[in-house]
Amino acid sequence: MITILDTTESLKSYIKNRKIGFVPTMGALHEGHLSLVREAKKQADYTLASIFVNPAQFAAHEDLDRYPRQEQQDIALLEQAGADAVFLPKVSALYPEGFSTTIHVGPIGQILEGEVRPHFFDGVALVVTKLLLLVEPTVAVFGEKDYQQLIIIKKLVNELNLNTVIVGAPIIRDPDGLAMSSRNAYLTASERKIAPLLYRVLHDTMLQLKGPSVNSDAILLNAKEKLLTYGFSAVDYIALCDANTLNPLINVTAPARLLAAARLDSIRLIDNVPILF
Ligand code: AMP
């Protein structure tokens, strides 16, 4: 039976003298999240997931109240995947009345996703720091689906001398290539048909970028136009970046990553691919 921890006190006594592999989530779990649980199980003695929809990373106009919640189903899925415990804190347990501390991750939080969501990564950094200090895990597993988040968390853990190894896990996709996401449930049937083309374009663009003496600006512009032609309502970015720092790259030098965000009306999809040699 999975152990349910719904207070910080019960969490503290659970983790005592245990080597924990930690998987933080916002719930509405799918195979992508469960793959992180399986990875954590390989790396530690006890696997603990958390489900917490973090208000600090949503802006006033964003979908905090609309974010899908299915706690009982999530607990059952975590148990099936082999998690030993789940931490389900209340908002008031992590952010009591009067809470005012902030974390600012700096310029890396202002590019790519940060351009449309300027406070997002500071909010993520705050909750991840709190969770890592509470859970004291040996390893914590994050998905490459949120690649910028993974890089920012690695940087944060290093810069704040937190005692956890951050492990990145590959993106889990539906058979047609669409990266699994809790928000995919909001897509209409016709949007769902367009959605996998984001991955297709990223994959094709990645192959083009590896060609000899390429003009990456022209290739990226062409990729953006293709997405719009396929029916995406907007392309927030399609960017070639250094895979470790996320600094923009003019030409492909290893290690590199191609990242994109595109919209199907109100639904924003993000995805990324490595540039493999
Ligand atoms: P979320 O619940 O959306 O905050 O995601 C929790 C964790 O699951 C994050 O580390 C995500 O990167 C990861 N994740 C979400 N979707 C996927 C996916 N399709 N493949 C792998 N990891 C994922």
Side-chain angles (χ1 to χ4, degrees), residues 80-239:
Q80 279 165 32
D84 299 292
V86 55
F87 179 45
L88 301 154
K90 292 203 172 60
V91 172
S92 59
L94 293 197
Y95 301 115
E97 191 70 32
F99 187 100
S100 64
T101 301
T102 56
I103 293 186
H104 183 49
V105 299
I108 195 169
Q110 302 302 306
I111 57 172
L112 304 169
E113 285 302 286
E115 283 202 20
V116 269
R117 307 175 80 188
H119 305 292
F120 175 72
F121 288 112
D122 290 351
V124 170
L126 180 61
V127 81
V128 170
T129 302
K130 284 179 67 84
L131 289 169
L132 293 178
L133 291 171
L134 281 164
V135 177
E136 300 178 36
T138 310
V139 298
V141 187
F142 291 83
E144 289 181 347
K145 164 76 170 38
D146 301 280
Y147 193 79
Q148 187 176 7
Q149 170 174 285
L150 171 65
I151 296 297
I152 288 175
I153 289 167
K154 281 187 175 169
K155 189 168 191 286
L156 167 106
V157 161
N158 182 39
E159 293 179 356
L160 295 184
N161 309 104
L162 299 178
N163 226 344
T164 296
V165 174
I166 302 300
V167 172
I171 301 174
I172 305 298
R173 301 178 178 282
D174 281 342
D176 61 8
L178 176 64
M180 289 189 181
S181 163
S182 309
R183 290 187 170 98
N184 292 350
Y186 298 138
L187 295 168
T188 64
S190 59
E191 288 170 343
R192 178 63 188 77
K193 287 200 185 111
I194 300 169
L197 296 169
L198 178 58
Y199 174 61
R200 174 107 56 89
V201 168
L202 274 173
H203 180 78
D204 293 350
T205 307
M206 178 271 284
L207 295 178
Q208 286 172 34
L209 285 167
K210 288 200 311 187
S213 58
V214 297
N215 177 341
S216 58
D217 275 352
I219 291 172
L220 294 175
L221 192 63
N222 181 256
K224 183 172 175 172
E225 278 163 8
K226 249 196 250 170
L227 288 169
L228 294 171
T229 312
Y230 288 156
F232 285 90
S233 43
V235 178
D236 287 346
Y237 58 84
I238 174 156

